[in-house]
Amino acid sequence: SAAQILGPVMCFQEPAQRSFPMSLSPLLNASLAIQIHAFLAIAAVVLTIAIFTLPRGSTAHRWMGWSWVTLMAIVALSSFGIHEIRMVGPFGPIHILSAFVLFQLVINIRAARTKNIRAHARGMKLLSLGALVGAGAFTFLPGRIMYQVVAGG
């Protein structure tokens, strides 16, 4: 079989032989700020998907939108308790991004409240893409906690 020829290459192993080394241990052993940051960011990703499937302006969209804003604000604020990468004193790139996220939340809420829906929609989509997808991707680099979670610790 292919597994015998190629050795322990996971993608060619029989389904019963595959192992999933994923472990939450690195995250559960991290500081409380990192745990809050990570779990709420994951919740925000899930909520983002749900919001984008709803009719714009509906009650559910607004309710979930406010929930998302709350999650993102807590995610951004919790980052100020994380000091894994320091560039200027206790601050690093995550803190610049977090300040930007907080600023953009205010700008995008203001756009919705003043009925500038085009600006609101564009701003929230860009914020979701940059803060969750873009920044989230960096958490999976080798040596980072989320990399350890998916690679098995």
Side-chain angles (χ1 to χ4, degrees):
S1 80
Q4 292 171 328
I5 295 168
L6 297 173
V9 177
M10 189 181 292
C11 62
F12 289 102
Q13 290 179 341
E14 298 297 323
Q17 296 174 329
R18 288 186 190 142
S19 66
F20 295 97
M22 187 171 160
S23 169
L24 288 175
S25 293
L27 185 55
L28 297 176
N29 291 324
S31 70
L32 182 60
I34 290 174
Q35 290 179 36
I36 289 168
H37 186 81
F39 287 121
L40 293 186
I42 292 166
V45 168
V46 173
L47 194 54
T48 299
I49 295 165
I51 291 169
F52 286 157
T53 64
L54 295 171
R56 307 303 179 249
S58 66
T59 301
H61 176 87
R62 288 182 185 152
W63 185 84
M64 286 185 165
W66 279 112
S67 299
W68 186 87
V69 166
T70 302
L71 282 174
M72 289 301 292
I74 297 170
V75 168
L77 291 170
S78 69
S79 78
F80 290 100
I82 300 171
H83 304 286
E84 303 295 311
I85 300 173
R86 298 169 186 234
M87 294 179 71
V88 178
F91 302 109
I94 190 174
H95 304 108
I96 295 167
L97 175 64
S98 294
F100 179 75
V101 166
L102 292 168
F103 176 75
Q104 285 299 310
L105 287 172
V106 171
I107 296 298
N108 293 321
I109 291 168
R110 184 178 295 155
R113 295 181 71 77
T114 59
K115 306 293 186 219
N116 188 348
I117 303 306
R118 176 180 250 175
H120 169 74
R122 182 177 183 275
M124 286 303 201
K125 286 175 187 172
L126 288 173
L127 189 55
S128 298
L129 186 64
L132 292 174
V133 178
F138 285 103
T139 67
F140 292 99
L141 292 174
R144 306 294 307 274
I145 291 172
M146 293 308 290
Y147 175 84
Q148 293 172 13
V149 167
V150 297

